[in-house]
Amino acid sequence: MTETLVTDLTVLVLSLLVGFEVISKVPSTLHTPLMSGANAIHGIVVVGAMLVAATAHTPLGYVLVFFAAAFAAMNVVGGYVVTDRMLEMFHRRPAAERSR
Amino acid sequence: MSGSDTAIRLLFLAAASCFVLGLHLMNSPATARRGNQLSAAGMVAAVGTAVGLLARDGVITATGLIVLIAGVLLGSGAGLYAARTVRMTAMPQLVSVFNAVGGGAAALVAFAEVARLGGAAGLAGASGQTTVTVGLDVVIGAVTFSGSLVAAGKLQGLISGAPVLFRGARLLNAALAAVAVTGVAAIVAGHGGTIALSIVAAAALGLGVTMVLPIGGADMPVVISLLNAFTGTAVAMAGFVLDSTVLVIAGALVGASGSILTVLMAEAMNRSIPAIIVGGFGTADSTG
């Protein structure tokens, strides 16, 4: 095993453990926004698309980079905006109830 | 490690920290919106850092840059428009579509890396780390892509919300899984390039469809959450392929937290995950 592989594996395992711990007792109303928020985070693959773009030099490579970049950008931008809309709605409801 | 190298790695670390803290803040209604905004700020930092990385290295070709910018603009525009205009009731299926393209992007990143390594012959000389993670990335990414689209279709009513069962479904599942596993094994053994990888991707795309079709529409939110965790894992694998720590951290974070969330969602609905995956009888969508 190379040193980078061992380092990457260490990071992977510790991140998995953090991921297991970071979700605690979530009220069920927050399940969908939380899923959507996590969905936006894996839009980080847009950085991956940028990294492969740096080294692409064939027509096939360019086609793959284009679709990877478009898909990833859609995931990240749409993911955050739709999550924010969900939570905005969530925020307003208790206020409306209080005013009643 | 040069100065700029250190700065880039530290900025990626800061971005990853924002994701963890943002996700944690999303556990409670009072702080949830701030959590999402913190996570978005981390994403802006990560993309900005990647821009800096591209500018510093300067190896990207003009065509590569144009293609990248065009792709990002098109994807951002489509995502922004869809997220802004979607009705509240249609949000879960839109999240599923975003999840699908995320998984697809992770698989395409692996393909692009293989194409760079030289296509057909490229993987013969690649390290075990590359071949194993390319295989896993493409399989998980492709299953998520087609599976999430079917899940979105079911919620939107484009595909019957009732469990779709047909004769030989199990046999077809097993055959597709066998093709995918054999293909990955061939790639790891150094016998395959883009063609073997395409066959693996095709089998995995089919598997995503046949896995989600037999599940009832009422169980779709749990399935989408599970596929969300899959995408996280695929992104972590892409991180291994590209040797990018920030991808490994963010991907693993979503993979693990998404799994926990899937269990919580299933519990809230009084369903067990194995029962949902096996699917079939008595799980029809309540709305028909």
Side-chain angles (χ1 to χ4, degrees):
Chain A
M1 268 200 207
T2 61
E3 204 184 316
T4 47
L5 179 56
V6 176
T7 312
D8 282 349
L9 273 177
T10 309
V11 169
L12 176 79
V13 172
L14 291 178
S15 306
L16 284 171
L17 293 175
V18 169
F20 284 131
E21 290 301 321
V22 84
I23 305 290
S24 48
K25 290 190 192 75
V26 196
S28 59
T29 39
L30 269 182
H31 282 168
T32 308
L34 193 57
M35 173 175 84
S36 182
N39 170 58
I41 292 175
H42 65 54
I44 188 74
V45 70
V46 72
V47 169
M50 293 168 79
L51 293 177
V52 288
T55 52
H57 57 272
T58 58
L60 173 66
Y62 292 138
V63 171
L64 291 169
V65 164
F66 176 77
F67 283 104
F71 280 5
M74 185 172 170
N75 183 181
V76 71
V77 175
Y80 279 115
V81 173
V82 85
T83 311
D84 196 60
R85 270 189 71 194
M86 280 181 201
L87 292 169
E88 182 188 39
M89 166 176 72
F90 199 87
H91 218 73
R92 238 183 261 144
R93 210 177 285 150
E97 272 165 15
R98 259 200 303 277
S99 66
R100 240 182 273 149
Chain B
M1 206 184 280
S2 71
S4 62
D5 236 18
T6 311
I8 284 167
R9 300 197 82 169
L10 289 179
L11 281 167
F12 276 141
L13 178 63
S17 309
C18 288
F19 299 150
V20 174
L21 294 173
L23 209 52
H24 186 67
L25 288 175
M26 288 187 76
N27 276 325
S28 132
T31 53
R33 198 170 179 204
R34 207 147 31 90
N36 187 52
Q37 286 161 351
L38 180 63
S39 157
M43 191 60 73
V44 171
V47 171
T49 309
V51 169
L53 183 65
L54 292 185
R56 184 200 64 173
D57 291 348
V59 291
I60 188 166
T61 61
T63 319
L65 190 62
I66 292 166
V67 166
L68 176 67
I69 291 173
V72 167
L73 287 180
L74 184 75
S76 309
L80 190 63
Y81 177 77
R84 279 264 175 90
T85 53
V86 69
R87 286 174 298 113
M88 297 290 177
T89 48
M91 277 178 180
Q93 44 267 51
L94 186 64
V95 171
S96 191
V97 170
F98 290 153
N99 187 42
V101 291
L108 288 169
V109 162
F111 260 101
E113 181 66 7
V114 172
R116 180 186 74 86
L117 288 171
L123 280 171
S127 69
Q129 175 183 348
T130 308
T131 53
V132 172
T133 51
V134 160
L136 288 174
D137 185 351
V138 169
V139 169
I140 304 171
V143 165
T144 320
F145 181 74
S146 58
S148 298
L149 287 181
V150 172
K154 280 195 174 233
L155 284 179
Q156 187 69 29
L158 299 172
I159 302 170
S160 164
V164 178
L165 296 165
F166 53 92
R167 284 177 63 178
R170 262 163 227 271
L171 198 67
L172 181 63
N173 265 348
L176 288 170
V179 171
V181 169
T182 313
V184 172
I187 290 165
V188 171
H191 297 302
T194 40
I195 294 169
L197 204 54
S198 305
I199 295 170
V200 168
L205 285 172
L207 198 57
V209 175
T210 55
M211 265 172 63
V212 179
L213 270 183
I215 304 176
D219 283 332
M220 275 311 125
V222 180
V223 172
I224 295 171
S225 178
L226 184 68
L227 291 168
N228 186 39
F230 275 18
T231 307
T233 314
V235 170
M237 290 304 121
F240 272 87
V241 174
L242 301 173
D243 196 20
S244 164
T245 312
V246 71
L247 258 67
V248 174
I249 298 177
L253 184 68
V254 176
S257 61
S259 311
I260 296 289
L261 186 60
T262 308
V263 174
L264 291 178
M265 286 172 87
E267 277 173 2
M269 295 171 71
N270 266 324
R271 299 279 292 154
S272 82
I273 291 171
I276 291 171
I277 303 303
V278 172
F281 308 101
T283 59
D285 189 349
S286 50
T287 57

